[in-house]
């Protein structure tokens, strides 16, 4: 604190100027920016009624003082005193303004009490009168309500009486229409229903039966059914009212129902028998069939009105289907000779073109589902009769196949006698339950309730139930036997084709769904022992494959009829894969199992290749160890005898390795090409489509196949590298004479300038040419020439050029060493001439050596170009050519 501030009291500085000055000095010394750090000066707010602290009911002194912290205590005290005086002035002013009204208040209210008493006296009378009026009105209202309720009861009783009268009239009318004798009294009615036959009214006299035509009887029953439906509705309403009269009439209603049902069954059965067994030709027969179809439609409509769908199906099963099934399907049906007598069908006899059974099957037939189906529309020899109106009849090839002939008889019977009945029943059902049918088409009903729908299901409950049950009971031990896979597959394919043909005759998709949900259909499909069939096929395919893979040697075949495969093992693998998808083996329901077997076969072939390749390499290592004469680390050539022996052994081993590797590469590439073609043309169309969940959970089938083939083709790279290594070693062996070029030229007596390349240059790339058969009739690698001659030639040429460079560098070092040795020797006196003549000879020899090397390198490059090598892209050859170009003769001294 400065000396001036020592004499100043704290209360003498009300504006705190010293503190502000100190803060300003501190701010300037620290270099703060005044523009960015701006403080607002405290604003003086006088006390008023709007102050939140003063208006609060719970006044808090501490918070009020903190809000006025910018004021000193004396200032706060004076401010509070000023606010207190202001409050007092306002209070006095308020009293003065309202004093006159306050004083006159008591004077104004002086006579108001008597006035209120006078007003209150008539209110009691008014209340009493209002209560009396309310009581009277309530009594009137109750009387009116009671009368209305009585009228409602009477109205209901009247309506019930009318309903009972209608019910009695309907029962009497129906008994009259059905020729049922009405009971004389209530006591004798029960005995009459026991003694009276339901068909007694139809057995009165033959004249009565003949006088009423069948069509009139069907329409008559239709009208009776409509009346019965109305009777059922009225009885249900009366029964809801707990009428005893309905219970007394119930036995008569039941008798009417049984009479209608029996009469309808009788008329429907007669119409069916006349329709299916009718004989006659010409216009009269056609008119009779039309009338019979009309009667059948009327009967089905009546059944639908009464809800007797199952009764109609029972009549159709009993009168039409069961007799045919018993006559056609029996234990000896498949072994019985084919009868030459043509059955009663609207189709003429025609021979279906098919392959005779004596002709052997081809090696592999592509699988085509339901190839046994023959559409009648595709056979020009068929002339459709008026009764055969279905364009969806597909017959099976029945040459020398009893089961196919049996199925064709069933299909012809269904198309001839039942197709029109099914169509009529479908039309009747659509008209009556169109709304529920639409809901069923959109939904997916459960198998347990689909076949019990409230409509006609002739395909499921009549045709398939009778045929399927008889097939299981009578022929199940023959057609479902899986001991002989060929016959089992034939029976399975024929049965599935028969089911598809039967579904073509169905009147709607709903009928097909109902048939597939039927318990007999489910039991029929479960009788096929498909896992047992697959196990037997698996043993056949895998057994023959393992027999071929049991041979550990990889020997190329000489025959040319093996689908471009070089080894018998690869051919066996391809035969096993194609057998899985051939028409003689494949079954669509086992598609996933055959696909897994295909992948397992590929994996087994990959394992066999790994084992045999590693075993072959293990046998080669002891015989080829330390026998590489072209190794860069070898500085001295072996003795002639050892080189000849090792070269002979190495040639034999290398030839075997080349043949094996070429065969394996050809097999892997051919197997991949054939398998991708098989996938594109057959397998991809046979496999079912994957759902979204399956696609999201894992890779699809095509990706799995490519992964398996990638694992197999990964063996090509090491096999190819081994071929390149062997060919490189052989080509480098032909470079050995290049090291003797200097000594050869120095030893020549006729030292002329070379004009042709050395004799060994043409033999450098000769192993590569012999491998690919260039210039010769045959070669080991001829099958790989199209894909590998250019890359192999480029790689081997580059390796040989590097070895050429190594030899030239070693030769240059040797020449330099000889040159330094000659320079180190002392020159001696010669009587015959100067010593410079020897130096001149050495320079000419080195120049001839350099020219010879240039000719050799150029010839080597041309030989590589003839094999497809691009010299501009070969750095080693550029280095080699530059190396022979820069060779200079030694300096003369």
């Amino acid at each position: 604190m400065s000396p001036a501030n020592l004499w100043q009291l704290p209360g003498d500085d009300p504006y705190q100027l010293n503190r502000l000055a100190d803060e300003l000095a501190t701010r300037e010394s620290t270099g703060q920016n005044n523009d960015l750090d701006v403080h607002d000066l405290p604003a003086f707010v006088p006390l008023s009624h709007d102050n939140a602290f003063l208006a609060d009911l719970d006044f808090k002194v501490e918070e009020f003082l903190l809000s006025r912290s910018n004021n000193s205590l004396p200032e706060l005290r004076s401010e509070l005193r000023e606010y207190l005086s202001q409050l007092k002035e306002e209070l006095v002013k308020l009293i003065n303004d309202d004093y006159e009204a306050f004083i006159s208040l008591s004077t104004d209210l002086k006579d108001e009490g008597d006035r209120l008493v006078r007003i209150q006296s008539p209110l009691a009378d008014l209340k009493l009168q209002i209560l009396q009026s309310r009581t009277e009105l309530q009594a009137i209202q109750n009387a009116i309500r009671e009368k209305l309720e009585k009228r409602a009861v009477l109205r209901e009783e009247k309506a019930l009486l009318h309903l009972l009268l209608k019910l009695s009239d309907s029962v009497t009318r129906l008994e009259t229409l059905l020729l049922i004798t009405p009971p004389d009294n209530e006591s004798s009615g029960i005995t009459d229903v026991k003694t009276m036959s339901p068909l007694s009214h139809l057995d009165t006299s033959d004249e009565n039966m003949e006088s009423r035509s069948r069509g009139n009887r069907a329409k008559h029953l239709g009208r009776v059914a409509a009346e019965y439906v109305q009777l059922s509705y009225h009885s249900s309403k009366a029964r809801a009212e707990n009428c005893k009269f309905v219970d007394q009439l119930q036995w008569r209603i039941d008798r009417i129902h049984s009479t209608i049902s029996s009469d309808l069954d009788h008329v429907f059965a007669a119409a069916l028998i006349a329709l299916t067994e009718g004989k006659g030709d010409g216009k009269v027969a056609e008119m009779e069939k039309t009338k019979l179809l009309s009667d059948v439609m009327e009967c089905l409509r009546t059944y639908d009105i009464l809800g007797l769908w199952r009764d109609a199906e029972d009549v159709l099963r009993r009168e039409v289907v069961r007799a045919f099934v018993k006559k056609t399907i029996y234990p000896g049906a498949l072994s019985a000779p084919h009868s030459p007598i043509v059955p009663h069908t609207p189709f003429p006899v025609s021979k279906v073109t098919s392959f005779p059974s004596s002709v052997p099957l081809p090696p592999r037939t592509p699988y085509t589902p339901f190839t046994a189906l023959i559409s009648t529309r595709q056979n020009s020899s068929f002339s459709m009769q008026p009764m055969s109106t279905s364009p969806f009849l597909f017959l099976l090839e029945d040459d020398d196949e009893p089961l196919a002939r049996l199925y064709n008889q069933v299909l012809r019977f269904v198309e001839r006698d039942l197709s029109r009945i099914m169509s009529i029943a479908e039309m009747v059902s659509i008209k009556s339950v169109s709304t529920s049918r639409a809901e069923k088409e959109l939904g997916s009903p459960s198998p347990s309730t689909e076949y019990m729908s409230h409509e006609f299901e002739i395909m499921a409950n009549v045709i398939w139930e009778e045929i399927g049950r008889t097939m299981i009971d009578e022929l199940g031990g023959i057609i479902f036997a899986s001991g002989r896979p060929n016959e089992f597959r034939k029976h399975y394919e024929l049965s599935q084709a028969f089911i598809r043909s039967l579904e073509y005759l169905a009147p709607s998709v709903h009928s097909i769904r109902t048939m597939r949900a039927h318990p007999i259909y489910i039991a029929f499909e479960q009788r096929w022992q498909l896992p047992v069939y697959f196990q037997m096929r698996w043993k056949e395919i895998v057994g023959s494959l393992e027999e071929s893979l049991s041979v550990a040697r990889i020997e190329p075949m000489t025959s040319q009829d093996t689908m471009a495969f070089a080894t018998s093992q690869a051919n066996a693998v391809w035969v096993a894969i194609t057998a899985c998808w051939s028409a003689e083996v494949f079954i669509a329901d086992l598609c996933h199992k055959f696909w897994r077997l295909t992948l397992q076969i590929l994996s087994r072939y990959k394992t066999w290749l790994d084992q045999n390749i590693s075993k072959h390499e293990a046998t080669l290592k002891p015989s080829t160890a330390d026998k590489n004469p072209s190794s860069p680390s070898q500085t001295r050539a072996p003795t002639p005898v050892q080189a000849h022996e090792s070269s002979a052994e190495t040639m034999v081993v290398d030839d075997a390795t080349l043949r094996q590797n070429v065969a394996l590469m050809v097999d892997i590439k051919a197997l991949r090409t054939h398998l991708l073609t098989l996938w594109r043309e057959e397998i991809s169309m046979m496999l079912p489509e994957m759902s979204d969940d399956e696609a999201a959970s894992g890779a699809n089938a095509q990706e799995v196949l490519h992964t398996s083939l990638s694992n197999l083709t990964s063996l090509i790279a090491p096999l190819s590298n081994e071929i390149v290594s062997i060919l490189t070693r052989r080509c480098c062996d032909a470079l050995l004479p290049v090291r003797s070029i200097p000594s050869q030229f120095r030893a020549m007596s006729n030292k002329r300038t070379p004009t042709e390349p050395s004799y060994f240059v043409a033999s450098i790339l000769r192993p590569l040419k012999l491998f690919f058969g260039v210039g010769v009739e045959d070669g080991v690698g001829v099958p790989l020439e199209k894909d590998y001659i250019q890359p192999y030639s480029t790689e081997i040429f580059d390796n040989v050029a590097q070895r050429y460079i190594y030899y030239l560098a070693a030769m240059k070092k040797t020449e330099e060493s000889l040159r330094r040795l000659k320079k180190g020797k002392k020159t001696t006196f010669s009587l015959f001439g100067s010593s410079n003549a020897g130096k001149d000879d050495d320079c000419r020899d080195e120049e001839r050596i350099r020219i010879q090397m240039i000719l050799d390198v150029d010839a080597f490059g041309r030989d590589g170009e003839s094999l497809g090598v691009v010299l501009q892209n070969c750095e080693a050859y550029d280095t080699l050519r530059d190396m022979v170009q820069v060779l200079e003769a030694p300096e003369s001294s």
Side-chain angles (χ1 to χ4, degrees):
M1 184 178 292
S2 62
N5 294 333
L6 293 174
W7 299 96
Q8 189 175 8
L9 296 176
D12 296 338
D13 189 11
Y15 299 102
Q16 301 181 0
L17 297 177
N18 294 329
R19 181 177 61 80
L20 294 175
D22 294 337
E23 289 180 0
L24 182 60
T26 303
R27 187 181 306 165
E28 290 177 356
S29 62
T30 55
Q32 294 181 354
N33 191 355
N34 295 332
D35 296 335
L36 298 178
D37 191 8
V38 178
H39 295 282
D40 295 334
L41 294 177
F44 177 74
V45 180
L47 295 177
S48 62
H49 303 319
D50 298 333
N51 193 297
F53 299 99
L54 297 177
D56 193 2
L57 297 178
D58 186 11
F59 181 72
K60 297 179 181 179
V61 181
E62 293 82 2
E63 294 181 0
F64 175 74
L65 293 177
L66 289 174
S67 65
R68 316 296 290 185
S69 61
N70 295 326
N71 299 341
S72 61
L73 292 177
E75 292 177 350
L76 184 60
R77 183 179 58 187
S78 59
E79 188 176 0
L80 289 174
R81 287 177 178 176
E82 290 179 358
Y83 183 62
L84 178 61
S85 61
Q86 182 181 355
L87 288 177
K88 289 180 179 181
E89 290 178 359
E90 292 180 357
L91 181 60
V92 171
K93 183 178 179 182
L94 181 62
I95 293 173
N96 292 335
D97 293 341
D98 298 338
Y99 181 74
E100 182 178 359
F102 180 75
I103 294 300
S104 62
L105 180 61
S106 59
T107 305
D108 295 338
L109 297 177
K110 182 177 181 181
D111 298 331
E112 292 298 326
D114 298 337
R115 190 185 305 170
L116 292 175
V117 172
R118 289 193 302 270
I119 294 174
Q120 187 178 3
S121 58
L123 293 178
D125 297 337
L126 291 176
K127 183 177 181 182
L128 182 60
Q129 294 176 4
I130 291 172
L131 291 176
Q132 292 177 354
S133 301
R134 179 184 295 176
T135 302
E136 294 175 357
L137 291 175
Q138 185 67 35
I140 296 171
Q141 183 179 0
N142 293 336
I144 294 173
R145 183 181 294 110
E146 184 178 357
K147 185 174 292 186
L148 291 176
E149 290 177 355
K150 291 181 180 180
R151 289 184 178 181
V153 172
L154 292 175
R155 191 184 302 111
E156 291 177 358
E157 292 179 355
K158 183 179 179 181
L160 182 58
L161 289 175
H162 283 291
L163 180 62
L164 295 178
L165 290 174
K166 289 182 181 179
L167 190 61
S168 179
D169 294 340
S170 297
V171 171
T172 304
R173 188 184 307 111
L174 286 173
E175 288 177 344
T176 303
L177 291 174
L178 295 174
L179 301 180
I180 299 175
T181 304
D184 295 336
N185 50 54
E186 297 295 331
S187 60
S188 63
I190 300 177
T191 59
D192 291 340
V193 74
K194 293 181 179 179
T195 59
M196 183 177 179
S197 174
L199 298 176
S200 60
H201 68 286
L202 296 177
D203 298 333
T204 56
S205 63
D206 295 336
E207 292 78 5
N208 190 18
M209 289 290 295
E210 295 297 332
S211 62
R212 183 179 298 172
S213 64
R214 189 183 298 107
N216 293 333
R217 280 183 288 151
K219 294 180 180 179
H220 173 74
L221 289 176
R223 290 193 294 269
V224 171
E227 185 70 23
Y228 177 79
V229 171
Q230 187 177 4
L231 173 63
S232 300
Y233 173 71
H234 290 161
S235 64
S236 63
K237 289 183 64 178
R239 189 175 290 106
E241 299 294 336
N242 297 323
C243 293
K244 300 296 183 181
F245 182 73
V246 179
D247 297 335
Q248 295 176 0
L249 289 179
Q250 186 60 43
W251 69 273
R252 297 174 65 184
I253 297 174
D254 295 339
R255 183 176 63 172
I256 292 171
H257 182 272
S258 63
T259 304
I260 294 175
S261 177
S262 61
D263 291 355
L264 188 59
D265 291 347
H266 180 76
V267 173
F268 185 51
L272 289 176
I273 293 174
L275 182 63
T276 56
E277 297 181 359
K279 297 181 180 179
D281 296 325
K283 187 175 181 180
V284 178
E286 182 63 26
M287 293 177 61
E288 182 66 21
K289 292 174 184 177
T290 304
K291 292 179 181 180
L292 291 173
L293 289 175
S294 178
D295 295 344
V296 169
M297 179 179 291
E298 192 67 32
C299 292
L300 292 176
R301 187 180 293 112
T302 305
Y303 276 117
D304 185 70
I305 292 174
L306 297 176
L308 302 177
W309 307 285
R310 306 291 85 84
D311 293 349
E313 293 170 357
D314 291 338
V315 172
L316 183 61
R317 182 188 302 108
R318 182 178 62 252
E319 300 295 337
V320 179
V321 179
R322 186 167 296 167
F324 171 80
V325 171
K326 287 183 178 180
K327 182 177 63 176
T328 306
I329 304 175
Y330 53 92
L334 299 182
S335 59
H338 181 60
S339 175
I341 301 177
V342 180
H344 173 66
T345 62
F347 302 103
V349 179
S350 61
K351 182 171 180 60
V352 181
T353 304
S354 61
F355 293 102
S357 59
S358 59
V359 179
L361 292 174
R364 196 190 76 83
T365 304
Y367 174 78
T368 304
F370 313 129
T371 54
L373 297 179
I374 300 179
S375 174
T376 56
R377 293 173 295 174
Q378 297 175 357
N379 197 336
S380 59
S381 62
F382 278 119
S383 60
M384 306 298 287
Q385 298 294 329
M387 280 294 293
S388 179
T389 59
S390 175
F392 302 106
L393 177 60
F394 286 84
L395 299 179
L396 282 66
E397 294 182 358
D398 57 357
D399 289 350
D400 300 329
E401 186 55 49
L403 184 60
R405 288 197 296 268
L406 177 63
Y407 285 151
N408 285 337
Q409 292 180 12
V410 175
L411 290 174
R412 290 190 177 98
F413 164 73
V414 172
E415 196 278 335
R416 182 193 66 212
D417 294 341
L418 300 175
S419 60
R420 284 197 174 185
I421 299 176
M422 287 191 294
S423 301
I424 293 171
E426 186 71 16
M427 288 189 295
V428 172
S429 299
I430 289 176
K431 290 180 180 179
S432 60
V433 289
S434 58
T435 304
S436 60
R437 172 62 60 85
E439 295 176 356
K440 292 178 183 179
E441 291 293 340
L442 294 176
S444 297
S446 61
S448 60
T449 59
E450 173 71 11
Y451 72 97
M452 294 299 294
S453 58
H454 298 292
E455 54 185 309
F456 295 107
E457 298 296 348
I458 298 177
M459 176 61 77
N461 297 337
V462 178
I463 299 175
W464 178 253
E465 181 177 354
E466 194 69 24
I467 295 173
R469 181 185 290 110
T470 308
M471 292 290 295
I472 294 174
D473 296 340
E474 303 295 338
L475 301 178
I478 300 176
I479 63 175
F480 297 120
S482 59
R484 289 175 288 186
N486 291 330
E487 294 184 3
F488 176 83
R489 186 204 60 81
K490 186 182 297 182
H491 292 164
Y492 179 80
E493 291 293 338
L494 288 175
S495 300
Q496 295 301 316
F498 166 70
I499 293 174
R500 300 293 90 79
S501 299
L502 201 60
E503 290 176 351
Y504 280 127
L505 297 175
S508 65
V509 177
H510 174 75
S511 300
I512 298 176
R513 292 179 179 175
T514 307
M515 187 185 75
R516 293 181 180 179
H518 199 278
I520 300 298
Y521 182 90
I522 297 174
F524 185 83
E525 291 294 335
Q526 290 176 351
R527 286 292 301 272
W528 297 104
Q529 300 178 0
L530 295 181
V532 177
Y533 170 78
F534 176 77
Q535 191 67 22
M536 299 182 69
R537 290 300 190 185
W538 185 88
K539 290 181 180 179
E540 294 177 2
I541 296 173
V542 175
S544 60
L545 176 62
E546 288 297 331
E547 183 179 356
S548 299
L549 296 182
S550 62
V551 180
R553 298 186 306 275
I554 304 176
E555 297 181 356
M557 296 185 300
T558 57
S559 60
Q560 300 297 328
D561 56 349
T562 57
M563 294 290 293
F565 293 103
T567 61
S568 59
Q569 292 82 3
N571 188 64
V573 169
W574 172 246
V575 170
I577 292 176
T578 53
C580 296
W581 305 97
S582 64
E584 294 78 15
V585 176
F586 180 77
I587 292 180
D589 290 342
L590 298 175
C591 182
H592 60 287
K593 291 183 177 292
F594 283 113
W595 173 243
R596 182 170 58 186
L597 179 58
T598 301
L599 299 178
Q600 291 174 348
I601 291 173
L602 289 177
S603 178
R604 177 67 182 92
Y605 183 54
K606 171 68 165 50
T607 304
W608 182 82
L609 288 177
D610 291 336
Q611 294 175 354
N612 287 275
I613 291 175
S614 60
K615 187 183 301 183
H616 180 72
E617 291 177 352
T619 58
L620 288 180
K621 286 181 180 179
S623 61
T624 58
D626 300 331
K627 292 182 180 180
N628 190 1
S630 60
S631 175
S633 61
Q634 187 173 355
T635 58
R636 186 178 64 86
T639 59
V641 177
Q642 292 176 348
H644 178 74
E645 293 176 356
S646 63
S647 177
E649 293 181 13
T650 304
M651 287 292 291
V652 174
V653 174
D654 288 349
D655 289 340
T657 303
L658 289 176
R659 285 194 299 270
Q660 171 185 297
N661 292 0
V662 170
L664 294 180
M665 291 176 65
V666 170
D667 288 344
I668 293 173
K669 291 175 65 65
L671 183 61
R672 182 180 185 277
T673 302
H674 286 69
L675 195 53
L676 289 178
T677 304
L678 183 66
W679 164 265
R680 183 174 60 256
E681 296 179 354
E682 298 183 30
I683 300 178
S684 61
M685 294 182 288
M686 296 180 186
L687 289 177
E689 295 183 0
M690 297 180 63
S691 62
D692 297 337
D693 297 336
E694 293 175 347
S697 60
N700 55 25
Q702 187 174 5
E703 292 178 358
V704 173
L705 177 62
H706 283 289
T707 302
S708 301
L709 291 178
S710 299
N711 296 334
L712 192 61
T713 54
S714 62
L715 299 175
I716 294 180
L719 296 175
S720 178
N721 293 336
E722 189 173 6
I723 292 175
V724 171
S725 176
I726 293 174
L727 295 178
T728 300
R729 183 170 64 251
R730 290 186 174 183
C731 293
C732 290
D733 289 343
L735 275 177
L736 294 176
V738 76
R739 297 183 299 182
S740 61
I741 290 179
S743 59
Q744 178 182 357
F745 272 89
R746 288 190 175 93
M748 290 175 59
S749 59
N750 184 13
K751 297 182 178 182
R752 58 183 179 83
T753 302
T755 58
E756 296 180 355
S758 302
Y759 68 93
F760 64 87
V761 175
S763 61
I764 295 177
L765 298 179
R766 183 175 298 170
L768 182 61
K769 294 180 180 180
L770 294 176
F771 177 77
F772 286 112
V774 178
V776 296
E777 295 182 356
D778 193 9
V780 178
V782 171
L784 304 178
E785 180 180 2
K786 182 178 179 180
D787 298 328
Y788 290 95
I789 185 170
Q790 201 275 336
Y792 278 13
S793 300
T794 302
E795 185 175 358
I796 294 173
F797 183 83
D798 186 76
N799 294 336
V800 173
Q802 293 178 5
R803 181 58 55 87
Y804 209 147
I805 293 172
Y806 170 77
Y807 285 155
L808 291 181
M811 187 176 61
K812 184 176 181 180
K813 290 180 181 178
T814 303
E815 291 296 325
E816 290 178 354
S817 299
L818 292 176
R819 190 179 299 114
R820 286 195 299 269
L821 182 61
K822 289 181 180 180
K823 286 184 178 181
K825 291 181 179 181
K826 294 182 180 180
T827 58
T828 56
F829 177 75
S830 175
L831 296 175
F832 301 99
S834 174
S835 61
N836 292 330
K839 294 181 179 180
D840 294 338
D841 292 339
D842 292 339
C843 292
R844 285 191 295 271
D845 290 343
E846 291 181 1
E847 181 64 22
R848 284 193 293 270
I849 293 172
R850 187 176 69 87
I851 294 173
Q852 184 64 51
M853 290 183 178
I854 292 175
L855 294 175
D856 294 346
V857 170
D858 292 340
F860 174 64
R862 290 192 299 270
D863 205 7
E865 284 184 336
S866 65
L867 294 175
V869 180
V870 181
L871 300 181
Q872 291 78 6
N873 299 332
C874 186
E875 298 180 358
Y877 180 76
D878 294 338
T879 304
L880 176 63
R881 189 168 50 189
D882 296 340
M883 190 174 185
V884 297
Q885 292 290 342
V886 299
L887 290 176
E888 298 179 355
E891 297 178 358
S892 59
S893 59

